[in-house]
Amino acid sequence: MSELNTIALKILSNGKGILAADESNGTMTKRLDSVNIQSSPENRLLFRETLFASDSMKDCIGGVILFDETINQTSNYGKTIPAMISETGAVPGIKVDTGAKDLANSLDEKITEGLDGLRERLKKYYELGARFTKWRGVYIIGEKYPSKLAINSNAHALARYSALVQESGMVPIVEPEVLMDGEHSAEDCLIKTSEVIKKCFDELIIHKIDLSGVILKPNMILAGNKSKNKIPNEEVASKTLECLKKSVPNEVPGIAFLSGGQSEVEATENLNLINRNNDTNFIMTYSYGRALQQSALKFWSKDKDIKGTQNIFNHRAKMNTLAAQGKWSKELENK
Ligand code: 13P
């Protein structure tokens, strides 16, 4: 077993999942604005360290994705943030892309940037304690989209990123997110997501990536959020499995889904159904941002009650860890 494979399995095994707390300052400001909290470095730290100090970190969270600001912060508990996370048994990770920018010659679409100087930044993050990384490519669905240009250029960037990350001794999360925005059908989402993921792995193979040391972070297969033809959760699960079976090489140890705008319970229920029907060798777990943090953030914003906020986060983490083993139920959710 390679060292990278060992790290990936440490993050994903036994129903553990990933807490995606890597919102850029811009995105975190939007989240904090929505609950009337001023987006200062102190407030961003205060909310995040409340989650990192929760009991569920030990049993449910295998990895935490951080943003550059957070990995450099020292918590009010007196430890650096990466040290605080490592002590719970979870692996600290870091978002290393520098964001999605307009794609020249297809301006409705995006290309993710961040390759310049990446090797040097990775060295610094490794020294700070990070052992895995994230890079997100983002794609829209439309009549002409995603274009070949967007599919090829983002796959190429994800492969170059992965090569540098593995060279530096860390596990790359490869995140090609096909957005749920729009009127498209679930069938369109299935076709486009399969094409996008396949192209990513074609490029990863050209770039000689050790696939046993990669985590894929895809979207689930859903109808667009403006579609009139939503599909039942059972079909979300079967279509998601169909997509991954035909587009992900067997050597990949695990898949950690993004929540992408699904409600908290919807994201849990769909993950549970995926695992009940998982007839693959892939570990299937969560790497949720909003679906792990939304209720906790709303509660915290009222009076910054640490224990109460942690109770809410602990419940969400526990429900998702049950779902990652196909053991979640509505009764447990409402207990
Ligand atoms: P969501 O679960 O909120 O989609 O965030 C996950 C993530 O890391 C997106 O890049």
Side-chain angles (χ1 to χ4, degrees):
M1 227 171 28
S2 74
E3 208 170 303
L4 295 175
N5 182 254
T6 307
I7 298 172
L9 291 177
K10 179 171 181 205
I11 297 168
L12 304 172
S13 296
N14 304 318
K16 286 191 175 181
I18 299 171
L19 167 59
D22 62 319
E23 298 85 357
S24 64
N25 285 348
T27 303
M28 198 58 192
T29 299
K30 269 193 243 158
R31 304 265 191 273
L32 289 169
D33 280 351
S34 76
V35 293
N36 298 315
I37 294 278
Q38 195 212 343
S39 182
S40 60
E42 295 74 29
N43 278 337
R44 291 192 286 268
L45 175 64
L46 212 55
F47 175 65
R48 285 169 167 154
E49 70 178 17
T50 299
L51 304 186
F52 305 158
S54 300
D55 290 343
S56 54
M57 286 290 297
K58 187 165 69 61
D59 300 323
C60 303
I61 304 297
V64 179
I65 319 173
L66 300 166
F67 182 59
D68 180 72
E69 175 183 81
T70 324
I71 200 170
N72 284 292
Q73 280 172 322
T74 296
S75 80
N76 294 296
Y77 298 89
K79 297 191 175 113
T80 68
I81 290 291
M84 187 178 174
I85 291 168
S86 297
E87 278 177 22
T88 69
V91 182
I94 179 77
K95 181 224 300 286
V96 300
D97 68 64
T98 55
K101 309 288 159 58
D102 291 347
L103 175 61
N105 291 330
S106 186
L107 292 173
D108 291 334
E109 298 186 286
K110 302 281 184 200
I111 176 72
T112 301
E113 295 186 347
L115 290 170
D116 289 350
L118 181 58
R119 182 179 267 134
E120 292 71 31
R121 286 194 292 129
L122 291 170
K123 193 165 175 288
K124 191 189 87 189
Y125 288 137
Y126 187 95
E127 283 163 8
L128 286 169
R131 290 297 177 270
F132 76 104
T133 64
K134 180 185 115 172
W135 179 290
R136 171 174 174 261
V138 53
Y139 310 81
I140 52 170
I141 296 185
E143 217 171 302
K144 298 176 290 180
Y145 305 130
S147 66
K148 288 267 180 276
L149 179 56
I151 293 174
N152 292 351
S153 50
N154 277 295
H156 181 257
L158 276 161
R160 286 186 55 196
Y161 142 82
S162 298
L164 287 166
V165 170
Q166 291 197 333
E167 178 191 89
S168 72
M170 297 189 278
V171 168
I173 292 189
V174 171
E175 180 179 10
E177 176 175 5
V178 180
L179 294 172
M180 65 152 84
D181 301 347
E183 294 177 2
H184 56 269
S185 65
E187 195 56 34
D188 282 338
C189 180
L190 171 63
I191 293 166
K192 302 299 183 187
T193 304
S194 305
E195 188 182 352
V196 161
I197 295 177
K198 263 194 210 141
K199 184 68 198 176
C200 286
F201 282 109
D202 287 351
E203 284 291 326
L204 259 62
I205 289 164
I206 290 172
H207 288 251
K208 303 184 167 37
I209 305 304
D210 169 8
L211 296 179
S212 77
V214 166
I215 297 171
L216 176 69
K217 175 162 173 165
N219 50 285
M220 294 182 192
I221 304 302
L222 304 163
N225 56 4
K226 297 203 185 80
S227 163
K228 289 182 195 74
N229 301 309
K230 295 271 180 328
I231 55 169
N233 294 334
E234 288 73 16
E235 208 178 322
V236 171
S238 62
K239 282 194 155 60
T240 301
L241 284 164
E242 182 187 338
C243 168
L244 297 170
K245 274 195 266 192
K246 64 183 179 202
S247 44
V248 185
N250 278 327
E251 299 92 309
V252 173
I255 293 168
F257 295 98
L258 59 97
S259 60
Q262 298 181 69
S263 75
E264 291 180 343
V265 176
E266 194 183 359
T268 303
E269 184 163 3
N270 284 333
L271 179 63
N272 188 57
L273 286 165
I274 288 169
N275 276 294
R276 289 251 166 112
N277 296 291
N278 184 5
D279 53 357
T280 72
N281 291 323
F282 304 125
I283 296 173
M284 303 261 190
T285 187
Y286 57 93
S287 175
Y288 292 164
R290 282 161 288 180
L292 272 173
Q293 299 183 63
Q294 225 158 3
S295 297
L297 178 64
K298 210 166 150 196
F299 184 90
W300 177 80
S301 70
K302 281 185 284 173
D303 50 12
K304 299 187 176 162
D305 168 2
I306 292 176
K307 266 276 155 281
T309 304
Q310 289 176 337
N311 287 342
I312 293 173
F313 176 70
N314 285 337
H315 181 67
R316 260 325 348 111
K318 199 167 154 199
M319 290 304 108
N320 283 309
T321 281
L322 286 168
Q325 302 163 90
K327 292 179 183 165
W328 173 89
S329 69
K330 282 210 169 73
E331 294 68 44
L332 291 167
E333 179 67 46
N334 298 320
K335 219 155 87 179

